[in-house]
Amino acid sequence: MRVNMNNPVLIKEVKLRFRSLKSFTGILFYLIAMSIFVFGFIFLTTQFTGKGFFRPDQSFFLFGLLTFIQLGLILFITPGLTAGTISSEREKQTLNMLLTTSQSSLQIIIGKLSSSIAFLLLMLLAGLPIYSLVFLFGGISPGQLGVIFLFFILTMIAVGSIGVMFSTLTRKTIVSMIATYGTMIFLSGVTLFFFLISIQVNQMSGPNPGLTQSPAPFAYFWASINPGILMYTLLNPVTENFVNMQTKIDFPVWASYIIFYVLLSFGAITISIKKLRVNMKKLK
C-alpha cells in the first residue's frame, strides 16, 4: 500500500499558526521577559557580590532556573495549544467536512499535533541565544544543554498527545483543557506527593524506622514519571543517586521516564486515531 507523506492538515495548520500576529507577539514578549530575567539576575548577582564577578556556580544556578522556567512554560502552554485541536473543529462544525476529505485519521491527528509542537519548538529555539549567555561564564556544557532540549521535546510530544486525545474524546474545548491541565497537575505535582508518601510508608513498615529496608517500586515509579524530579537528576546526578538509594532500585530514572512517556504518547495518539471517526461509524 502506498503511503502518502504529504499532509495538507499539517501544512494548513502551520500556515495559519505562523501567519498569525498573535503567535509572534507571544514569542516577542516571551523573549523580552526571559531577557529581563537573565540580565536582571546577572546584574543583581554581581552587585551583591561587591566584586562585579559572575562565578561558574552562579551561571549553573541561572541555567537551572531557566530550565525550570522552560519546563513550566511547556507544561502550561502545551495543553492550551493542543486541547482544542479537534474539539474546536467540532464546535465550529467543520470536523465533518474535514473527515470527508481523503485525509486519514492518522494524518489529521499527526498534522494537528505536529503544528502545535512546531510552534513550541520555535519558541525554544528562539530562546536559545539567551540560554547561550550562560556559556560565557562557564559551568555548563553543550552536551548538558542538548540533553535538556531532548527532554523538553519528549515532554512536549507527550503532553501534546494527551491534549489531542482529550480533545478527540470530549465535545467541548473547555472540558478538554480542564482534563489536560488536570493530568499535568497530576504528573508534575501529585506524583511528587505520592513519591514522598511511598518513601515514608516503606521506611515505617521496616524493622528499622527511618531507613529503607526493601525495594519500593511504587515510590520509584512516581519519581520516574515526574518531570521535575527528572530535571533535577539531569542537572544534578546526586538526585538520581538519592532516588535509587531511597527506593532500592538501581535503574536510571531517565530510562524509565523515556519508556513511560513514549508508551503514553503512543497510546494517546492511538486512542485519538481510533476515536476520531467513531461518531461517523455510529451514524451508519
Side-chain angles (χ1 to χ4, degrees):
M1 183 177 65
R2 183 180 178 181
V3 179
N4 186 11
M5 300 301 293
N6 185 28
N7 194 330
V9 177
L10 174 59
I11 296 174
K12 185 202 70 144
E13 291 292 330
V14 169
K15 287 182 178 180
L16 290 177
R17 190 177 299 277
F18 285 88
R19 286 177 178 177
S20 175
L21 181 61
K22 294 181 180 179
S23 300
F24 289 96
T25 303
I27 295 178
L28 174 63
F29 282 105
Y30 161 74
L31 294 178
I32 292 175
M34 291 287 289
S35 300
I36 293 175
F37 175 80
V38 171
F39 287 107
F41 181 88
I42 295 175
F43 175 76
L44 292 177
T45 303
T46 54
Q47 289 298 315
F48 284 140
T49 56
K51 298 181 181 179
F53 293 110
F54 195 71
R55 299 189 303 271
D57 59 333
Q58 295 171 336
S59 176
F60 181 80
F61 181 73
L62 175 60
F63 176 77
L65 287 178
L66 289 174
T67 301
F68 275 98
I69 290 175
Q70 293 275 29
L71 176 61
L73 287 174
I74 289 174
L75 296 178
F76 179 77
I77 296 177
T78 307
L81 293 177
T82 58
T85 52
I86 303 299
S87 58
S88 61
E89 296 281 353
R90 187 180 291 112
E91 290 174 347
K92 292 184 294 186
Q93 299 182 355
T94 56
L95 180 60
N96 291 334
M97 291 187 294
L98 182 62
L99 295 177
T100 55
T101 62
S102 60
Q103 304 305 307
S104 63
S105 299
L106 175 63
Q107 286 180 307
I108 295 174
I109 295 298
I110 295 300
K112 293 284 189 179
L113 176 61
S114 300
S115 63
S116 301
I117 298 300
F119 177 75
L120 290 170
L121 286 177
L122 177 62
M123 181 175 291
L124 290 180
L125 293 177
L128 194 59
I130 302 176
Y131 256 109
S132 63
L133 290 175
V134 298
F135 292 106
L136 299 176
F137 305 98
I140 306 297
S141 65
Q144 193 172 21
L145 179 62
V147 171
I148 294 296
F149 265 72
L150 291 177
F151 161 72
F152 283 156
I153 293 174
L154 175 60
T155 306
M156 282 190 297
I157 294 175
V159 177
S161 301
I162 295 172
V164 173
M165 179 188 69
F166 283 122
S167 181
T168 306
L169 295 176
T170 59
R171 304 186 63 86
K172 298 294 184 180
T173 300
I174 184 63
V175 177
S176 175
M177 284 190 176
I178 292 174
T180 307
Y181 278 112
T183 304
M184 293 307 100
I185 293 174
F186 174 82
L187 292 175
S188 58
V190 179
T191 53
L192 176 61
F193 176 76
F194 284 167
F195 167 69
L196 298 176
I197 293 297
S198 300
I199 290 296
Q200 292 295 324
V201 171
N202 184 268
Q203 292 178 352
M204 293 175 62
S205 61
N208 298 322
L211 297 176
T212 303
Q213 303 296 328
S214 60
F218 288 106
Y220 177 83
F221 173 76
W222 297 125
S224 63
I225 66 175
N226 186 283
I229 294 179
L230 178 64
M231 183 64 68
Y232 269 115
T233 62
L234 296 179
L235 294 173
N236 187 7
V238 177
T239 306
E240 183 171 4
N241 297 331
F242 171 78
V243 173
N244 294 335
M245 180 181 65
Q246 292 295 325
T247 60
K248 297 296 183 180
I249 297 179
D250 189 15
F251 190 76
V253 176
W254 61 266
S256 300
Y257 186 92
I258 292 176
I259 294 173
F260 176 80
Y261 279 96
V262 167
L263 293 177
L264 180 63
S265 302
F266 179 79
I269 293 175
T270 302
I271 293 174
S272 301
I273 294 173
K274 296 292 185 181
K275 296 297 183 179
L276 182 62
R277 299 178 186 268
V278 65
N279 293 331
M280 295 183 63
K281 293 181 180 180
K282 288 182 179 179
L283 291 176
K284 293 181 179 179

